[in-house]
Amino acid sequence: MPRDGNEFETTIRRVLDACADCDTCRPLMDESCLLFPELYRLYDREKAHGRVVSQDELRRLSELCTLCGLCPCFDIRTDVIRSKAAWVRANGMPLAARLLADVQRFGRLGALAPRVLNRVLACAPVRRAIKKVAKIHPQRRLPPLPGENFFEWARRRGLDQAPGQGPKIAYFAGCTAGYLFPEVARAAVAVMGHNGISVLVPPQQCCGMPSLLEGDDETTFRRVRANLETLLDAVQEGFEIVCSCPTCGYLMKVLLKERAFYAEAYQRAVGAGADEIKV
């Protein structure tokens, strides 16, 4: 049985009540979002039949949110994130979610012996067992690990060293292009090089989006902090930041900024009163 879920229920229930009362997104989200159609169904059922939305239903509702950013109210996304984190703090994260949310760990382990791991994954019984543990659909094709990931390639070409004069960028590749599809990241470097731009690939960790989506605040903040320190140092040295992954870019350019609005330090900096939040 789930442990104390008061914080989780309070937060996700606030999302349900606020969105259903506003109703603006009802026509916007029917075809583009999984969360809102279910949210309105639960709310309408509760009002029509008096059947209160249960904790299990609220939990399934929170899992439908992928933080895609389509909803116009950023406080709703913030509350969904908070509700997921509250659930994980109270009940932990399922093994399958923990495995799938850590592409970085999988990519780094796979880089130690990619050919061996590919041969292991090619074995049907092993592949079926892995998919069962990770709760991956049986028909889902697992991408083979590359013989050399992007970060190894970048080090071999000296892209981990700061370039000299001229236009220069610090490139944040992300885990998918970094470990699974390095041809994407190499193509990005080639395009920048063709346009006379020098590229630095600084030390980087997972952007934090997968763990944030699953409610693992601790891992998310640890990785975000490490990346921000590295990227801010690069900015101080005159680099522009480039990210080819839309998910990584969305986290850094949108979600982090939105959550920062709630920080006490930010609110003090913009002169917010005790009973208000300024954006």
Side-chain angles (χ1 to χ4, degrees), residues 11-27 29 33 35-40 43-44 61 71-77 79-80:
T11 309
I12 193 64
R13 182 73 213 199
R14 184 164 62 234
V15 171
L16 189 151
D17 291 335
C19 290
D21 182 60
C22 169
D23 213 35
T24 298
C25 289
R26 191 180 288 258
M29 299 301 178
C33 176
L35 181 142
F36 279 94
E38 178 66 4
L39 181 150
Y40 291 125
Y43 187 85
D44 291 347
L61 181 67
C71 51
C73 303
F74 72 81
D75 57 323
I76 296 301
R77 294 192 288 275
D79 274 346
V80 170

Side-chain angles (χ1 to χ4, degrees), residues 175-190:
C175 291
T176 303
Y179 296 110
L180 301 179
F181 304 103
E183 64 275 13
V184 174
R186 292 197 300 266
V189 171

Side-chain angles (χ1 to χ4, degrees), residues 66-257:
T66 61
L67 303 179
C68 68
L70 288 175
C71 51
C73 303
F74 72 81
D75 57 323
I76 296 301
R77 294 192 288 275
T78 298
D79 274 346
V80 170
I81 294 172
R82 285 175 170 169
S83 71
K84 292 185 177 192
W87 180 273
V88 169
R89 284 194 296 271
N91 303 286
M93 185 185 298
L95 176 60
R98 192 170 294 278
L99 291 173
L100 291 177
D102 204 343
V103 180
Q104 172 181 298
R105 186 184 300 273
F106 175 76
R108 290 180 175 179
L109 289 175
L112 299 176
R115 291 183 180 179
V116 173
L117 188 55
N118 284 334
R119 288 181 180 179
V120 170
L121 292 176
C123 178
V126 174
R127 187 171 62 250
R128 284 196 296 268
I130 292 175
K131 288 182 178 180
K132 184 175 182 179
V133 171
K135 294 187 177 181
I136 299 173
H137 193 280
Q139 296 181 10
R140 178 67 179 177
R141 185 180 67 85
L142 300 178
L145 286 169
E148 181 182 52
N149 66 48
F150 170 71
F151 301 111
E152 294 172 332
W153 177 86
R155 283 193 296 270
R156 186 166 55 81
R157 294 176 64 91
L159 299 182
D160 57 340
Q161 304 298 318
Q165 300 298 317
K168 54 187 181 180
I169 65 100
Y171 176 43
F172 191 91
C175 291
T176 303
Y179 296 110
L180 301 179
F181 304 103
E183 64 275 13
V184 174
R186 292 197 300 266
V189 171
V191 169
M192 288 181 279
H194 178 75
N195 286 278
I197 301 173
S198 299
V199 177
L200 168 69
V201 180
Q204 54 194 262
Q205 298 192 26
C206 172
C207 70
M209 184 65 155
S211 52
L212 179 67
L213 186 60
E214 296 297 338
D216 185 357
D217 264 1
E218 181 180 349
T219 299
T220 300
F221 291 146
R222 183 175 67 250
R223 291 179 172 173
V224 166
R225 185 178 297 112
N227 287 329
L228 286 181
E229 289 175 354
T230 299
L231 295 176
L232 288 174
D233 285 345
V235 170
Q236 292 295 323
E237 295 174 9
F239 287 86
E240 298 286 343
I241 307 299
V242 169
C243 178
S244 59
C245 174
T247 302
C248 299
Y250 175 65
L251 174 89
M252 295 180 183
K253 296 169 66 176
V254 179
L255 291 181
L256 292 183
K257 181 175 66 175

